[in-house]
Amino acid sequence: MKTRLTVRRCTALKTGTYTLLTVALCSLLSCAKSEIGETVAPDINISRLSNAVAVDDNSETTAWENYILRLDAEAKGNYRLTDEEAVSTVLSFASGGVGSSSGIQPFSTAGIDIKGIAPLRNRPVMLAAKDDRSPVTPLVVEFDGPEGEGFAVCSGDKRYEKVFCYVPKGDIADTANIEMLKHFYRSVECSINDSIARFNAQIDSLHALGRSATYSTSTCKHGSILYNGMFCMGEEYIEHSKGEDYIGLKPKWHQDAPYNNRMPSKAEDTTVVYVSEINGRAVAGCVTIALGQSMAFKKYNIFPYITPAMWNDISNRADITGTVYEDVVARFIDELSIGLHRVFVPAGTGVSTSNLHDYLTSIKNTHGINFEYQKNPKYSSEQEKDFLTDYFADAAKKKDPIVITADIKEIRSAHAFVADGMKYSKGELNEIIGTETPDGGVNKMHKPLGFKHYLWINCNWGWADGSDGLYDYSNLRINKDNFTFTPITSITRLK
């Protein structure tokens, strides 16, 4: 996503026909924000607050606890975002925000048309939580934008608002070709389920203590007032820093012909298992394509049959199909996969993370090529999140592609893709407590809930730009079985 996109109009969605989305969003935001500041549904944080607020029954319930109790009571089992809220969440992200249903400015003018909203996993789009307050399925929002038809996947649940991916050009059906994306979307569902389970546990615990949503006969234009004149206005994310940058990687290669034209056929190598339907040759493999695109971008002058002038032309093309470079690049891909000690497996052509780093070490020793290697990078503590965010930002600024791998030990291979850009936001999540002023205004008090990190990386999946776009880093992990996940194995930065 290289251009900030906001809204021009909204075409007919599957759930009904909309007028100008600016009108719909104005109506939405007049309720969600008004003049009291942004109010967003909780991205669950279990930190407890000490600001006990005395309510009508003399029990002690924090204003925040009363807020979520009211949210739960008023939802009446249906937590699904409205279509307007889902669209607004995506447009907030596309216009430079982090993705909240109250974060889009309705008067923006740049063009993006919404085509439709559909559930992830093809469950009924109007699926609502039942008595057990189960999570609402994530939503796919499809649109027409400056780069063509694209889509985004966002949470469909008011209790957990987040944009998980934003693809300016692509189709959700491309997931069928990209194994790691299948794991990504499973991880997305697990993240939502986990957060909603914690939210529900909070509600159940409060109910077990005899607490219920407190309302007062005293009201103001901002909502019901608690016993002592205080009211909770929800959460507010205060952004401390943000950034978005891309290295400008143009190659959009893939594993099939003509890139695999020099790979062996089953007749030439009896260990070959999976071959292309187009030319009957082994597919190139995702690690080879990821590294190949990165080396082409860096124009490494270490292959005698590729001159600097040829590298310049190749690296400035998205695709070399039908050009004079077909055989040159096919030879480069074949030699690269041999150097990476490829193995042929039922799913294709595999390369392990260790073999990737052995190969890069060898060309570093022989040709002076420089690279950095982060093994098993962590993304849990604030320090770890800060480090990785700054690392991706620095790589994007210095135009260094990053090859990311996740090993699957059972098949002696790794999934791989190129990170060629990023978007991040760092800030603080606050509970907002309000009191009404004599003139009808509001005094807002901020109570910190904790720091927030948002990190999306721009992924080139090596499938001819299929589904290339920004993806939530925290959900990039591999599903090994039904219960455990394997995180990123390595981050390799080419310099």
Side-chain angles (χ1 to χ4, degrees):
M1 181 176 62
K2 303 171 179 61
T3 311
R4 287 187 174 182
L5 306 177
T6 44
V7 65
R8 179 173 70 250
R9 62 182 176 85
C10 182
T11 55
L13 301 185
K14 295 179 180 179
T15 53
T17 302
Y18 288 80
T19 57
L20 290 177
L21 186 55
T22 54
V23 176
L25 289 178
C26 283
S27 175
L28 169 67
L29 295 180
S30 66
C31 298
K33 294 184 74 172
S34 69
E35 67 270 32
I36 64 175
E38 184 177 18
T39 302
V40 298
D43 182 353
I44 306 306
N45 188 309
I46 304 303
S47 301
R48 298 300 341 123
L49 302 177
S50 60
N51 58 312
V53 177
V55 295
D56 294 343
D57 61 358
N58 292 321
S59 63
E60 287 194 349
T61 303
T62 68
W64 175 251
E65 289 170 342
N66 191 64
Y67 172 75
I68 64 172
L69 283 166
R70 288 182 58 180
L71 188 156
D72 182 69
E74 292 167 4
K76 296 180 179 178
N78 184 0
Y79 283 102
R80 186 191 184 277
L81 291 176
T82 66
D83 287 337
E84 290 92 345
E85 288 170 329
V87 168
S88 184
T89 295
V90 171
L91 294 176
S92 165
F93 182 88
S95 60
V98 298
S100 71
S101 62
S102 56
I104 185 70
Q105 297 299 317
F107 43 78
S108 301
T109 57
I112 177 173
D113 295 332
I114 302 299
K115 293 173 58 183
I117 299 176
L120 191 66
R121 305 294 178 210
N122 295 317
R123 286 178 281 187
V125 71
M126 293 303 293
L127 178 68
K130 307 301 181 183
D131 292 339
D132 60 354
R133 305 190 303 276
S134 60
V136 179
T137 183
L139 298 175
V140 180
V141 179
E142 298 173 304
F143 54 81
D144 284 324
E147 297 185 40
E149 295 184 351
F151 69 92
V153 173
C154 65
S155 169
D157 199 301
K158 294 181 180 181
R159 294 163 291 182
Y160 184 79
E161 287 191 354
K162 191 169 188 177
V163 172
F164 295 101
C165 73
Y166 184 91
V167 177
K169 181 182 178 182
D171 191 317
I172 190 69
D174 293 333
T175 301
N177 294 323
I178 305 170
E179 188 67 22
M180 197 163 181
L181 276 183
K182 299 175 186 177
H183 305 307
F184 175 82
Y185 290 126
R186 294 181 190 122
S187 180
V188 162
E189 291 185 329
C190 286
S191 295
I192 294 173
N193 293 349
D194 181 61
S195 290
I196 300 308
R198 282 182 280 161
F199 176 91
N200 291 341
Q202 275 190 291
I203 297 297
D204 290 339
S205 295
L206 290 168
H207 286 168
L209 293 171
R211 311 288 171 81
S212 60
T214 301
Y215 297 85
S216 172
T217 56
S218 176
T219 60
C220 67
K221 61 185 176 180
H222 309 301
S224 296
I225 304 177
L226 297 178
Y227 181 79
N228 60 355
M230 300 177 108
F231 52 91
C232 183
M233 297 162 61
E235 290 179 347
E236 184 174 3
Y237 174 64
I238 300 177
E239 191 170 64
H240 295 165
S241 65
K242 68 177 181 178
E244 185 172 357
D245 202 2
Y246 304 86
I247 69 173
L249 179 71
K250 292 184 178 179
K252 298 288 185 180
W253 297 357
H254 56 82
Q255 300 186 39
D256 219 316
Y259 298 93
N260 72 330
N261 279 352
R262 290 261 193 144
M263 296 287 286
S265 65
K266 288 184 177 180
E268 294 166 341
D269 188 332
T270 57
T271 65
V272 172
V273 182
Y274 182 84
V275 298
S276 163
E277 294 180 359
I278 298 175
N279 59 12
R281 295 184 173 276
V283 294
C286 58
V287 177
T288 301
I289 291 297
L291 181 60
Q293 290 184 114
S294 301
M295 294 177 75
F297 177 80
K298 282 297 189 178
K299 306 172 189 176
Y300 288 159
N301 188 25
I302 62 176
F303 303 94
Y305 51 90
I306 307 180
T307 67
M310 293 168 70
W311 267 142
N312 284 334
D313 202 4
I314 291 170
S315 64
N316 280 315
R317 296 174 180 267
D319 186 20
I320 52 87
T321 302
T323 71
V324 296
Y325 302 115
E326 278 193 1
D327 190 60
V328 169
V329 172
R331 179 181 176 183
F332 166 63
I333 291 297
D334 183 49
E335 291 187 5
L336 193 58
S337 68
I338 293 173
L340 290 166
H341 297 288
R342 66 193 182 200
V343 294
F344 298 115
V345 296
T349 302
V351 172
S352 68
T353 298
S354 61
N355 284 344
L356 167 66
H357 296 133
D358 287 346
Y359 175 78
L360 288 172
T361 300
S362 69
I363 63 172
K364 177 181 180 179
N365 293 336
T366 56
H367 299 283
I369 299 302
N370 195 17
F371 74 97
E372 288 181 353
Y373 168 46
Q374 303 289 335
K375 183 178 180 181
N376 297 323
K378 305 297 183 184
Y379 191 72
S380 297
S381 68
E382 296 302 320
Q383 294 81 3
E384 291 165 349
K385 291 177 179 178
D386 272 333
F387 172 78
L388 277 183
T389 299
D390 294 344
Y391 191 80
F392 279 110
D394 185 66
K397 179 181 179 180
K398 294 178 180 176
K399 310 303 180 187
D400 294 337
I402 293 177
V403 176
I404 297 180
T405 63
D407 275 337
I408 303 295
K409 296 179 180 179
E410 291 82 356
I411 59 174
R412 299 174 295 155
S413 184
H415 291 300
F417 60 93
V418 182
D420 61 356
M422 58 89 72
K423 172 180 176 175
Y424 79 92
S425 177
K426 299 179 184 179
E428 187 177 62
L429 196 64
N430 287 266
E431 174 192 8
I432 308 302
I433 304 298
T435 57
E436 190 175 27
T437 62
D439 61 0
V442 171
N443 286 325
K444 291 167 57 176
M445 296 176 287
H446 291 70
K447 290 287 186 178
L449 287 171
F451 289 103
K452 292 287 290 183
H453 278 76
Y454 296 93
L455 174 60
W456 298 268
I457 58 175
N458 204 60
C459 302
N460 177 316
W461 297 108
W463 277 103
D465 83 8
S467 289
D468 291 357
L470 288 163
Y471 287 80
D472 173 38
Y473 182 82
S474 64
N475 281 290
L476 287 169
R477 45 191 180 177
I478 298 299
N479 187 201
K480 294 179 65 179
D481 52 49
N482 293 330
F483 307 102
T484 62
F485 289 88
T486 299
I488 298 298
T489 303
S490 74
I491 292 175
T492 305
R493 176 177 174 180
L494 274 62
K495 294 189 166 185

